[in-house]
Amino acid sequence: MHDRILAIVVYLMNRLTDHQGALSNFDEMSADLKSMGYTDNEISSAYTWLLKHFEDYPESFSFRDDRIKGNRSVRVLSEQEKKVVSPESYGYLMQLRHLGLLTTEQLEMILDRISLFGSDPVDIDEIKLMASAAMFEGGGSEYPYAIWVGDPESEPIN
């Protein structure tokens, strides 16, 4: 379920970015999302989470080209990380970071958790699950070294 809400949040943030922070018509966007197969509950949950995120991290939501002013660094994967994180998966994480949906700390936490999987490549679905856990489950403040495996509703493993 969290991965579906994450997809809606990414859609909304892309719309916000395209329109420099202005959303045109919530009803139209909701209708578009419903036509993509999302439920009213999922759409409502995404809106609620996004509004709460705006409140908690207002600095993440500057929709100007210079929004990363003062923080222009780019995270480069180590050779080991490149073996387990596909370009598609890394691009997805960078998109979430660029949109202000992941903090630098959450990004690092996800990459640390990937290294715990060993040498097996992590696919995009697993990346989405980890990003969802980081975003919707608090990202590790309660369980700093936990890994979410399988069902996002399950308890983290310490």
Side-chain angles (χ1 to χ4, degrees):
M1 168 119 171
H2 285 159
D3 57 330
R4 291 178 57 83
I5 295 171
L6 176 58
I8 296 168
V9 169
V10 169
Y11 168 86
L12 294 171
M13 285 302 297
N14 280 323
R15 289 282 299 258
L16 278 166
T17 301
D18 291 345
H19 296 98
Q20 285 80 36
L23 288 177
S24 54
N25 185 335
F26 285 103
D27 292 334
E28 179 184 312
M29 285 191 306
S30 293
D32 287 347
L33 288 164
K34 285 179 192 177
S35 74
M36 292 181 219
Y38 296 106
T39 66
D40 287 332
N41 188 38
E42 291 168 330
I43 295 166
S44 176
S45 295
Y47 280 132
T48 301
W49 183 87
L50 194 57
L51 290 172
K52 175 75 171 123
H53 195 70
F54 268 119
E55 183 179 300
D56 293 345
Y57 302 100
E59 70 283 353
S60 297
F61 297 101
S62 172
F63 294 98
R64 299 180 324 266
D65 289 336
D66 65 342
R67 86 167 102 180
I68 316 174
K69 191 175 185 178
N71 186 11
R72 296 185 188 272
S73 63
V74 175
R75 173 61 158 82
V76 177
L77 295 177
S78 69
E79 289 304 314
Q80 181 61 30
E81 289 169 333
K82 288 178 186 176
K83 292 177 184 175
V84 294
V85 179
S86 70
E88 176 190 26
S89 297
Y90 185 63
Y92 185 75
L93 288 173
M94 290 296 94
Q95 177 187 23
L96 294 178
R97 179 69 190 109
H98 178 73
L99 290 172
L101 297 173
L102 279 180
T103 65
T104 301
E105 293 78 18
Q106 288 170 322
L107 173 65
E108 287 302 321
M109 182 186 58
I110 292 168
L111 292 172
D112 286 346
R113 288 178 181 170
I114 291 169
S115 69
L116 295 174
F117 287 131
S119 60
D120 293 334
V122 177
D123 66 23
I124 189 73
D125 291 330
E126 291 168 315
I127 289 290
K128 288 178 180 180
L129 180 64
M130 286 185 230
S132 295
M135 291 169 58
F136 302 124
E137 306 286 339
S141 57
E142 187 176 343
Y143 303 100
Y145 299 104
I147 340 175
W148 277 263
V149 226
D151 180 10
E153 302 299 321
S154 66
E155 288 295 316
I157 300 170
N158 286 320

